[in-house]
Amino acid sequence: MQAVLLYEHGGPEKLTLVNDHPVPDPGHGEVRVRVLAAAMNYLDIWVRSGWPGIKLDYPHILGADASGTIDALGEGVTGWTVGDRVAIDPTLSCGECVFCRTGYQNRCTRFAILGEHASGTYAEMIIVPVRNLIALPEHISHAEAAAASLVFVTAWHSLITRGGLRPGESVLLVGAGGGVNTACLQIAKLAGCTVYVVGSTDDKLERAKALGADVIIRRDVDGGWSRMVYRLTAKRGVDVVVDNVGQATLNDSLRSAARGGRILTVGNTSGAEAMIDNRLVFGKHLSLIGSTMGPHRDYVSVMNLLFKGKLKAVIGATYPLADVQDAHRALEAGAVFGKIVLAL
Ligand code: ZN
């Protein structure tokens, strides 16, 4: 089968398309899915580049997001038929530990993500546990389902489950164009919140506005964006800040928050170690709330909103699998608003 293989860490040039990778067989409780669309996440860049301590089984296949049709059923799988259209929850879990049994699969002691700790979606076929599947209605394209999966479950879990977002609250998104940000923007609007967006370019900010942002702020505004947030909120600050940039922005996020505010984080695209002024945390009674991915019930909730048309996958670019190196370059350059999809 076609697959994009990684033999060692490095730049986009390390991604190698092959046509003769062996087709994997599903085990007990697993299915083989014929991938028709895969979507890229910043996670793919981190895994490709590597970090101290990461261990991959080479050749490794990247990719957390996919949608397609069932190609084969493993032993013990019932309720599904070959040919069914499906989207895949990208969080892998043991199904047995206390976290799994209480509905927090994303806290599983053997938590894993497709394409990071397991073989991923940049391939014609993938094996996943049947419990990760959700049936995909005919009116939703495979590209939309793949583009939505990881970012929407991550955004929903962060904002709604962990962040306890309530109607009428104000939400600041640090960053306009990333997949999680475009998901957070839609979820916050659906929840009845006022949304502020800080972005790097007028173009990205205008697109955020078209998606529903109430107030847009340039990252390079005179005096700094956190001061502008303070001014625009009559020195109150916002109830919730979504900061997945990390090192470069976290302290400004603390400044932007109102007393009692929550800072939500699911990532750190600018770097992991951030310097913060702790006086802001205790002086303003702030909560810093982290999470990663989301449990399966959150995946089902948010995908159903996609299926009902309440939320929309934002696809910025589509590349054929053969052009995966260019797709990685585009993602790393931050040049695309919304998700990048790989078509198979
Ligand atoms: Zn578990």
Side-chain angles (χ1 to χ4, degrees):
M1 66 173 185
Q2 268 203 336
V4 175
L5 303 181
L6 184 71
Y7 291 93
E8 59 178 336
H9 294 301
E13 73 284 355
K14 300 290 185 190
L15 300 168
T16 309
L17 181 73
V18 300
N19 293 310
D20 56 354
H21 197 64
V23 174
D25 287 320
H28 188 88
E30 294 177 332
V31 294
R32 183 165 67 218
V33 174
R34 177 176 290 277
V35 176
L36 295 171
M40 291 171 43
N41 293 284
Y42 217 85
L43 172 68
D44 307 0
I45 308 283
W46 292 122
V47 176
R48 193 204 69 214
S49 309
W51 61 80
I54 185 175
K55 282 199 184 80
L56 303 180
D57 282 333
Y58 291 116
H60 180 71
I61 300 177
L62 295 172
D65 278 326
S67 177
T69 55
I70 294 182
D71 186 68
L73 305 174
E75 257 182 71
V77 173
T78 57
W80 297 90
T81 307
V82 169
D84 283 351
R85 302 176 87 241
V86 293
I88 300 169
D89 178 345
T91 301
L92 300 173
S93 57
C94 76
E96 292 163 6
C97 73
V98 67
F99 297 108
C100 286
R101 284 191 278 110
T102 52
Y104 285 95
Q105 291 86 358
N106 59 331
R107 298 182 191 179
C108 176
T109 52
R110 283 188 274 155
F111 164 84
I113 305 175
L114 279 179
E116 181 183 354
H117 320 81
S119 198
T121 61
Y122 293 10
E124 263 185 283
M125 302 280 182
I126 182 169
I127 304 296
V128 293
V130 67
R131 63 173 175 265
N132 281 58
L133 298 184
I134 185 170
L136 184 64
E138 287 292 336
H139 69 281
I140 302 292
S141 72
H142 290 292
E144 288 173 279
S149 289
L150 184 146
V151 292
F152 272 102
V153 70
T154 300
W156 184 268
H157 187 63
S158 178
L159 281 176
I160 304 295
T161 307
R162 295 280 289 141
L165 196 63
R166 292 185 291 273
E169 289 195 305
S170 49
V171 179
L172 169 69
L173 305 178
V174 181
V180 174
N181 289 325
T182 56
C184 282
L185 172 46
Q186 294 181 64
I187 291 168
K189 287 310 295 178
L190 192 62
C193 296
T194 304
V195 179
Y196 297 73
V197 177
V198 174
S200 57
T201 67
D202 289 337
D203 180 51
K204 286 184 184 176
L205 285 168
E206 283 308 320
R207 286 167 187 245
K209 200 158 193 183
L211 263 184
D214 297 283
V215 182
I216 53 177
I217 302 163
R218 280 279 299 224
R219 189 173 70 186
D220 56 2
V221 64
D222 280 347
W225 55 264
S226 60
R227 185 168 295 186
M228 181 57 82
V229 171
Y230 225 53
R231 233 179 71 194
L232 290 169
T233 55
K235 297 186 180 175
R236 178 184 179 275
V238 294
D239 298 303
V240 172
V241 184
V242 174
D243 186 333
N244 304 315
V245 182
Q247 196 172 68
T249 56
L250 196 55
N251 208 51
D252 277 308
S253 290
L254 298 179
R255 286 184 200 285
S256 303
R259 285 166 183 269
R262 290 101 78 200
I263 317 297
L264 308 181
T265 184
V266 300
N268 42 241
T269 50
S270 70
E273 292 179 12
M275 187 81 85
I276 60 168
D277 182 341
N278 193 41
R279 292 169 299 180
L280 293 167
V281 178
F282 65 77
K284 293 208 293 182
H285 307 255
L286 300 180
S287 302
L288 180 58
I289 302 174
S291 63
T292 191
M293 309 295 282
H296 192 65
R297 63 170 188 271
D298 282 358
Y299 181 71
V300 172
S301 296
V302 79
M303 291 302 278
N304 276 323
L305 289 168
L306 181 88
F307 299 162
K308 287 177 182 153
K310 303 280 188 192
L311 300 170
K312 270 177 30 189
V314 180
I315 297 172
T318 303
Y319 290 77
L321 193 63
D323 293 340
V324 64
Q325 294 187 359
D326 287 340
H328 265 237
R329 288 184 190 103
L331 180 61
E332 266 182 298
V336 177
F337 185 93
K339 300 290 294 177
I340 299 177
V341 170
L342 298 170
L344 281 94

